[in-house]
Amino acid sequence: LRARLIDRVVRCPVAEEARCALNARWFGLSTPATHAQNGNPVTATLAAFEACRTPYLLQVDSDLLLHRPAPRDRALGRLLDALQADPQAVTVSLPITSLVPTDPAATGDNGPFRVEVRGSLLALSKLRSLRPLPNDLVDGVLALGWHRALDGAVRLGQATSLRIADPQLGFIHP
């Protein structure tokens, strides 16, 4: 913060009633659970989404390696264009490294694409409009993380999750 490398730190709500309200807004489930049944953190991510005042959010794992051979190229712009062109597109995955570009697609051989949680560009207003996302409680714990709940909305035809290939942008997740 002092070096101005980051704007602010967003903290996860600690009060039980604040966590219940957060989960109720996102899943229609009033629970203080902070993690999904599989251990994935949920509350911290949702609190961060709510703290963002931008229409689009580039969301990446901290250990993701990005490949951009021409840093001044408009590769991220292609992702943004894909989100803006498809009214149902809520997320577009950062592409895995590829030599051949492809147009944005919402489905593959196995049906609709799942949300790529390791690295993606999100349309936050579209994401918020889908709330509450489909989820359940298992012994008071969220059955699904936010991205798998969003997959449920994709399967129900309420949204799309796009994939794209671009030689000017790719990621590797070691």
Side-chain angles (χ1 to χ4, degrees), residues 10-138:
V10 176
R11 300 201 191 285
C12 181
V14 291
E16 187 171 305
E17 77 179 31
R19 293 192 322 265
C20 287
L22 182 72
N23 286 323
R25 283 191 300 277
W26 283 88
F27 307 115
L29 302 168
S30 182
T31 176
T34 59
H35 289 69
Q37 189 178 25
N38 66 359
N40 285 347
V42 178
T43 306
T45 303
L46 298 181
F49 288 170
E50 288 191 354
C52 290
R53 299 293 172 235
T54 181
Y56 302 97
L57 175 70
L58 181 62
Q59 183 268 153
V60 297
D61 280 5
S62 61
D63 61 344
L64 208 70
L65 300 175
L66 291 179
H67 170 251
R68 291 185 62 205
R72 298 197 196 289
D73 187 88
R74 202 175 165 271
L76 284 175
R78 281 198 67 216
L79 302 182
L80 181 60
D81 292 346
L83 277 179
Q84 292 173 336
D86 182 342
Q88 279 200 290
V90 174
T91 178
V92 59
S93 169
L94 284 172
I96 57 171
T97 302
S98 172
L99 296 175
V100 180
T102 63
D103 290 330
T107 59
D109 294 339
N110 297 320
F113 286 125
R114 294 174 70 183
V115 174
E116 176 55 74
V117 73
R118 296 172 299 174
S120 59
L121 185 65
L122 303 170
L124 289 177
S125 63
K126 291 179 186 180
L127 177 59
R128 288 182 183 118
S129 73
L130 293 170
R131 297 181 300 182
L133 295 172
N135 209 338
D136 289 307
L137 292 176
V138 177

